[in-house]
Amino acid sequence: MVDAVRLGWFEFATGFHLRKAQEASFAAFKRLVGGIDIRVGHFATLMLIGENPGINQTTLGRAVGRDKSSLTPILDDLVERGLVARKRSVQDRRRYGLTLTEEGEAMRATLAASATEHEKALAACVSPDDLAHFVRILKRIARIMPD
Amino acid sequence: MVDAVRLGWFEFATGFHLRKAQEASFAAFKRLVGGIDIRVGHFATLMLIGENPGINQTTLGRAVGRDKSSLTPILDDLVERGLVARKRSVQDRRRYGLTLTEEGEAMRATLAASATEHEKALAACVSPDDLAHFVRILKRIARIMPD
DNA sequence: TATTGTTATACTCTATAACTATA
DNA sequence: TATAGTTATAGAGTATAACAATA
């Protein structure tokens, strides 16, 4: 049974469609990397450590919009799997500098390939001309809305 | 301490910014309706029942992208608070027809006002010319990505 | 046999608060 | 006193599976 549901006001509710688009994109990405045993939170963490070697957990948390305590189990897992190394800073012994191991770098390359695939799938929804503009709007929303 | 974090590849990762924009929009909406004791899941449910009187739970779940079992506790709460009425269908006694009570309708009107405010806040991030196009892209992503 | 809705249950993700150790 | 990171814990939000009632 396929019932037509009137969205009514929701037809134009940006927040509602933002959520559905995000969920769809998320689900598609999960399916894409389904063969690789890694979660999306792990993915972002791995990519950002690769891009910012020596970054600490608090800074990393701010970048992905999560509390530092939320990152602890993710990092525990990545370290245990030999993908990330925690090195205590000599200048400030409270901090750990995070870096990718060789294996972590290899995993990052593999995941980056999946991510590129995923971007291609998104490109089927947004013309190349519009994509940059689209992402710019998303960034503006993320930056401005909280105030 | 404000560290600059290199996003690197992430700079262009649509999915990443989609998530951050969705979270920012969600947080802003929560703050807006903060005075009203209602959650976002409840909000969508209330709006869609108002727009589709007599809708059943399975159909409603499909519209919001949730399993029917996820809606049961939400509906229990809305019914207990006198906002929604469950009426067993006479044609098919397995189904309940969902409608808003008078109080539910009043709540819907109040929430719709908040939602309109929220859309105005979003309009500060997307020009009126672009907004319709932006939402169209979001819908396309939600429709196409899962395949 | 299939479907609607409920229940029991468990999992993921996340934050808060209290803690240790350093500064 | 303040900060980096960990631990314990709790709360959303969600899905899966088994179930009862009905089709």
Side-chain angles (χ1 to χ4, degrees):
Chain A
M1 182 197 61
V2 180
D3 291 326
V5 175
R6 287 173 49 86
L7 288 182
W9 182 89
F10 262 57
E11 194 63 45
F12 312 105
T14 310
F16 179 71
H17 295 292
L18 210 38
R19 196 196 66 170
K20 295 197 94 170
Q22 195 268 321
E23 286 174 350
S25 161
F26 180 92
F29 181 75
K30 266 216 300 221
R31 210 171 41 243
L32 198 61
V33 300
I36 304 170
D37 181 24
I38 197 138
R39 290 155 195 289
V40 191
H42 291 51
F43 169 72
T45 304
L46 212 54
M47 299 301 273
L48 285 174
I49 293 173
E51 197 64 41
N52 302 268
I55 193 172
N56 67 68
Q57 182 169 317
T58 302
T59 306
L60 188 57
R62 200 167 40 239
V64 296
R66 299 284 168 260
D67 188 82
K68 55 192 163 65
S69 68
S70 302
L71 264 59
T72 300
I74 294 176
L75 288 170
D76 284 350
D77 183 56
L78 292 174
V79 168
E80 193 186 358
R81 287 159 67 179
L83 302 172
V84 167
R86 275 186 181 112
K87 249 180 306 199
R88 206 181 264 281
S89 161
V90 282
Q91 293 96 337
D92 184 342
R93 290 180 45 73
R94 290 172 304 184
R95 297 191 182 187
Y96 287 104
L98 302 168
T99 49
L100 296 187
T101 63
E102 217 166 292
E103 270 187 63
E105 193 52 67
M107 175 64 92
R108 180 165 98 103
T110 306
L111 289 170
S114 286
T116 301
E117 272 309 299
H118 182 237
E119 285 294 310
K120 276 188 203 154
L122 272 164
C125 307
V126 194
S127 81
D129 286 351
D130 290 343
L131 186 59
H133 187 215
F134 179 71
V135 172
R136 218 174 308 129
I137 292 172
L138 291 176
K139 284 187 197 173
R140 214 179 303 144
I141 291 173
R143 199 175 59 243
I144 295 178
M145 289 302 286
D147 309 331
Chain B
M1 183 196 62
V2 179
D3 291 326
V5 175
R6 286 174 51 85
L7 289 181
W9 183 89
F10 261 57
E11 195 65 44
F12 312 104
T14 310
F16 180 71
H17 294 291
L18 210 38
R19 196 197 67 171
K20 295 198 93 169
Q22 195 267 324
E23 285 174 351
S25 162
F26 180 92
F29 182 75
K30 266 216 300 220
R31 211 170 40 242
L32 199 62
V33 301
I36 304 170
D37 182 25
I38 197 139
R39 290 155 194 289
V40 191
H42 291 53
F43 170 72
T45 305
L46 211 55
M47 298 301 273
L48 286 174
I49 293 173
E51 197 64 42
N52 301 269
I55 193 172
N56 67 67
Q57 183 169 317
T58 300
T59 307
L60 188 57
R62 199 167 40 239
V64 295
R66 299 284 168 260
D67 189 82
K68 55 191 164 65
S69 67
S70 301
L71 264 60
T72 301
I74 293 176
L75 288 168
D76 284 349
D77 183 56
L78 292 173
V79 167
E80 194 187 354
R81 287 160 68 178
L83 301 173
V84 166
R86 274 187 180 112
K87 249 180 307 199
R88 208 181 261 281
S89 161
V90 284
Q91 293 96 336
D92 183 342
R93 290 182 42 75
R94 290 173 303 185
R95 296 191 182 188
Y96 287 104
L98 301 168
T99 49
L100 295 187
T101 62
E102 217 166 292
E103 269 186 65
E105 193 52 66
M107 176 64 91
R108 180 164 97 104
T110 304
L111 289 171
S114 285
T116 302
E117 272 309 298
H118 183 236
E119 285 294 311
K120 276 187 204 156
L122 272 165
C125 307
V126 196
S127 81
D129 286 350
D130 290 343
L131 186 59
H133 186 215
F134 179 70
V135 172
R136 218 175 307 129
I137 293 173
L138 292 176
K139 285 187 195 174
R140 215 180 302 143
I141 291 173
R143 199 176 58 243
I144 295 177
M145 289 303 286
D147 309 331

